[in-house]
Amino acid sequence: MRLRLPFESAEENLVATETTLYNHREKVASLFQRLGQRIEERKIDIFRILTNVETFDTALDEIDKTIRALGTYHRELDALLGRSPIGTVFVSLPFNNPLYSLMLYSFGPLMAGNNVVVRPSAITRSTIEDLTLVLPEISDISGLEFFNGSGREFIQTASQSDDVQALIFAGNWENVHRLAPQFPRSKILIYCGSGINPFIVDRDATEFMTIEAISDLIISSKIYNSGQDCLCTERILVHKQLCSKLIDRLEAAVLSIQIGEFGDADADINPLLGGISDSAEAISKSSPNANWVVPFKRDGALVYPSLALAPISSDLVNAEKFAPIFTVASFETNEELDRALDFEYLFGATVCGSFSSQTLKLYPHVTRTKTVIANESEDAHVPFGGRRRSGFVKVGSTARDGPILYSVETTKPAGK
């Protein structure tokens, strides 16, 4: 399969002068900025599309942060000086935040001058299709194509075709763990995965804010997109002195969360997508000794908000629920907390209080006394992603973890 490149041929692409590349990238950055303006103009139509798969608050936030990020691609220009596009990049999108995900994973490689072939998740493929109808400018972007085959066909093409130089895979660790050993060493594999993120309530947290305010932050950091986001809180780690008070407050808050179908303006929680409700129910049974303050309840794809207190090392606390299941664990010492933070997944963390440690500093996206979702990247020039099982770039037999700047990772030094 021969794929179209932004330049006339692969050979011309490789020998393009610095000026040609710079001018091309400048035009792309301007195009992205204009796309942001179009999204603003068509906000109501886009909102209607997105609220078929996510809550009203999530859709509004997704639109706004996409617009903000699209206005920042000009900052990529200097970072890409002296670097050439690698050719063709395949991008496998996650199902959540379809508009923002399309931009986050695809537009950096496009900005670099690559051809990009995108496969939307089967769960939200129709959402992407509807968005391109409302925003035909997306389909007009030079070098951007959509793949209509199955996920298996997509991975096979990315692996076997000499025309493909890199694969960006956004998904879960189990899938990429199976893929990585078989993926050709001659190609680049970029992975952005889960974040089983802690919300830390330290002993002195109430010196900074009230228990009520802390509870409100936990709720907002967990129910974003009904809990289906890589930066949502998954582990609520609370100092023993504050645990009882916080549990009491969280119980009332969890019971007040509004539940409804897609399109319900008052709903905080919608049905979960893609069979997530099945796995959420299985996870809820993983720690039989958990104390369910608000019991787990499910009605088909709709998972009701629940609240459990469980040991800090339990499967229930440390699993990615991707659902509105609030799991609280208490700790007594900084050493105990630090051991819990030294985890397989290092992505985002929220801290209420003065706690700090070298382990906490390994988390790329840390916020204090505000919702973790607010830290999601709204600047295209800010690397995004996690460490360990939360993300890596693999080139040949070498892999490195940490936040990823997708434009730079899909380029190489000019002349090589």
Side-chain angles (χ1 to χ4, degrees):
M1 180 179 64
R2 177 61 61 180
L3 300 171
R4 175 171 53 87
L5 294 169
F7 296 92
E8 291 298 319
S9 66
E11 291 74 19
E12 182 183 348
N13 196 51
L14 293 173
V15 301
T17 64
E18 190 75 25
T19 300
T20 302
L21 273 173
Y22 189 89
N23 290 341
H24 170 77
R25 290 163 177 164
E26 199 169 36
K27 290 178 181 177
V28 173
S30 297
L31 185 153
F32 289 163
Q33 190 166 23
R34 290 196 299 274
L35 178 60
Q37 294 167 355
R38 294 292 184 273
I39 292 173
E40 182 67 52
E41 293 168 2
R42 299 163 192 172
K43 198 169 186 176
I44 294 175
D45 291 332
I46 295 167
F47 176 79
R48 287 173 179 155
I49 293 169
L50 292 177
T51 50
N52 288 319
V53 295
E54 59 194 33
T55 66
F56 275 44
D57 287 346
T58 304
L60 289 172
D61 178 73
E62 181 178 359
I63 292 168
D64 289 343
K65 70 188 178 189
T66 302
I67 292 170
R68 288 194 293 271
L70 285 170
T72 65
Y73 275 91
H74 62 279
R75 295 187 60 200
E76 300 277 284
L77 293 170
D78 289 344
L80 292 170
L81 286 173
R83 302 193 65 84
S84 297
I86 57 174
T88 296
V89 179
F90 270 35
V91 177
S92 178
L93 293 181
F95 71 81
N96 53 331
N97 294 99
L99 177 63
Y100 183 79
S101 294
L102 175 64
M103 179 211 67
L104 175 64
Y105 299 112
S106 307
F107 284 16
L110 283 167
M111 175 72 186
N114 295 292
N115 183 73
V116 174
V117 179
V118 174
R119 183 184 182 273
S121 165
I123 299 168
T124 47
R125 175 181 293 278
S126 62
T127 306
I128 295 284
E129 292 171 349
D130 290 343
L131 288 170
T132 58
L133 292 175
V134 173
L135 295 166
E137 294 84 359
I138 292 175
S139 299
D140 292 338
I141 296 173
S142 176
L144 177 63
E145 301 177 17
F146 288 94
F147 189 94
N148 292 318
S150 68
R152 182 185 296 272
E153 291 169 336
F154 185 78
I155 296 299
Q156 286 178 343
T157 304
S159 301
Q160 298 172 9
S161 173
D162 292 337
D163 295 321
V164 181
Q165 284 70 46
L167 169 65
I168 296 174
F169 184 90
N172 65 51
W173 169 256
E174 287 73 19
N175 287 339
V176 80
H177 186 60
R178 288 193 296 269
L179 168 65
Q182 306 169 25
F183 198 70
R185 292 188 176 186
S186 59
K187 301 171 184 281
I188 300 170
L189 176 61
I190 301 173
Y191 169 63
C192 186
S194 306
I196 304 178
N197 307 306
F199 192 112
I200 300 162
V201 183
D202 200 7
R203 181 202 304 261
D204 62 350
T206 52
E207 295 178 15
F208 298 86
M209 56 200 315
T210 65
I211 283 288
E212 290 78 13
I214 294 169
S215 173
D216 289 346
L217 282 182
I218 291 171
I219 296 294
S220 65
S221 73
K222 180 60 178 169
I223 66 171
Y224 182 89
N225 200 25
S226 303
Q228 299 173 113
D229 191 276
C230 63
L231 277 174
C232 280
T233 290
E234 290 287 8
R235 304 186 291 156
I236 306 165
L237 310 179
V238 185
H239 194 277
K240 188 175 182 179
Q241 289 186 359
L242 298 177
C243 194
S244 179
K245 289 182 179 179
L246 185 59
I247 285 286
D248 289 344
R249 178 63 188 180
L250 278 174
E251 179 181 7
V254 167
L255 289 170
S256 70
I257 294 172
Q258 298 297 305
I259 303 146
E261 297 294 328
F262 293 112
D264 183 344
D266 296 323
D268 301 312
I269 297 290
N270 292 150
L272 303 184
L273 299 174
I276 297 297
S277 56
D278 291 333
S279 60
E281 183 168 3
I283 290 168
S284 73
K285 300 174 181 177
S286 64
S287 299
N289 295 326
N291 175 20
W292 286 92
V293 181
V294 178
F296 179 88
K297 179 183 175 183
R298 172 193 174 190
D299 182 7
L302 190 60
V303 172
Y304 288 73
S306 56
L307 172 64
L309 180 63
I312 201 166
S313 60
S314 67
D315 291 342
L316 179 61
V317 169
N318 294 307
E320 183 184 36
K321 277 73 72 177
F322 230 54
I325 303 172
F326 293 76
T327 53
V328 179
S330 68
F331 65 90
E332 283 195 76
T333 66
N334 285 355
E335 290 75 20
E336 184 183 6
L337 174 58
D338 210 42
R339 286 194 298 271
L341 294 178
D342 191 4
F343 197 57
E344 296 171 315
Y345 298 85
L346 303 178
F347 206 136
T350 302
V351 183
C352 289
S354 58
F355 174 81
S356 184
S357 73
Q358 291 302 312
T359 305
L360 181 63
K361 292 177 182 178
L362 294 175
Y363 286 73
H365 307 282
V366 177
T367 58
R368 289 187 178 272
T369 62
K370 65 178 181 179
T371 173
V372 67
I373 298 300
N375 197 46
E376 197 155 356
S377 179
E378 294 168 1
D379 187 331
H381 192 55
V382 175
F384 182 76
R387 292 192 171 92
R388 298 181 183 172
R389 290 189 176 186
S390 291
F392 63 76
V393 178
K394 184 174 182 288
V395 183
S397 59
T398 304
R400 62 169 181 78
D401 61 1
I404 299 161
L405 191 59
Y406 293 94
S407 58
V408 173
E409 297 297 347
T410 54
T411 58
K412 58 187 178 181
K416 292 189 178 180

